[in-house]
Amino acid sequence: MQRELGANVWPEFSDEAILHEIDAGQLFRVRVDEAIAGVFSLAFDDPAIWDALEDGRHLYIHRIARTAEWSGGGLMDAILAWVTDYCQSLGRAGVRIDTWASNAPLIAFYERRGFRLVGHRRIGVDARLPPHYHENEFALLEYTL
C-alpha cells in the first residue's frame, strides 16, 4: 500500500537477515484463524535510531508488514494491543516506532492510534543500520502506557 501511495518503502530483506531475527526471537507473526495476516519485529532497545532518547524503558516495533492476502483492517490495532500487554508485563514505559519523516499519512495513522510525535532524526551512515536508513530523516513516535 505504501508503494502505491508513492511513499518510501523498505528494500527487500535477505533470508539471512530474516532468519537472524527469527533466531533472536524478534520476529512475530500475526495470525487470523490459521492464516498469517502479517509480521513485525520487536526490539528491547534502539540506540541507533533513538540515539540520546534511548533510555531502556520502551519496546520498539519495526517492519510491520501485512500479507497480500490480508486486506482486512485492524492489523496495527492487533499488534499494538499485544505489544502493549507485553510491554506492561515487562514493566516498560511504552512503545516506540519510527517511520520516514516524509510519510505524513503514516504518521497520522500512528497518531490516531495514540502515538505522539516525539521528534525527527536525520540518520547518517551508521553500520548498525541497514542502508535504507542512511542519509534519511525519520519521525520518532511514542505510545505511553
Side-chain angles (χ1 to χ4, degrees):
M1 171 141 184
Q2 295 299 313
R3 182 173 281 116
E4 289 83 20
L5 293 173
N8 287 331
V9 294
W10 305 316
E12 193 168 311
F13 291 96
S14 69
D15 290 348
E16 179 183 357
I18 293 168
L19 290 171
H20 174 74
E21 282 192 332
I22 292 170
D23 290 343
Q26 295 176 310
L27 189 63
F28 295 84
R29 303 176 293 198
V30 179
R31 291 176 41 175
V32 176
D33 298 321
E34 294 302 313
I36 295 176
V39 296
F40 66 97
S41 290
L42 195 61
F44 291 94
D45 61 8
D46 198 349
I49 295 172
W50 286 76
D51 196 34
L53 295 174
E54 169 57 58
D55 59 10
R57 299 176 50 231
H58 298 83
L59 292 179
Y60 297 84
I61 302 173
H62 289 286
R63 291 178 290 289
I64 300 166
R66 69 170 174 81
T67 60
E69 297 78 19
W70 178 254
S71 60
L75 182 66
M76 182 61 194
D77 297 324
I79 291 169
L80 188 56
W82 184 86
V83 172
T84 55
D85 285 348
Y86 186 45
C87 196
Q88 286 177 323
S89 76
L90 297 173
R92 298 280 179 129
V95 179
R96 289 177 168 175
I97 198 164
D98 65 87
T99 191
W100 282 277
S102 61
N103 195 338
L106 188 55
I107 293 166
F109 173 84
Y110 291 141
E111 289 176 327
R112 286 191 302 274
R113 277 146 184 83
F115 284 86
R116 72 177 175 84
L117 183 63
V118 174
H120 292 97
R121 177 150 187 267
R122 182 156 190 79
I123 298 175
V125 175
D126 188 324
R128 298 172 295 178
L129 295 169
H132 67 275
Y133 278 93
H134 299 174
E135 305 301 340
N136 278 303
E137 184 175 359
F138 292 86
L140 307 176
L141 297 110
E142 183 175 284
Y143 182 96
T144 303
L145 298 181

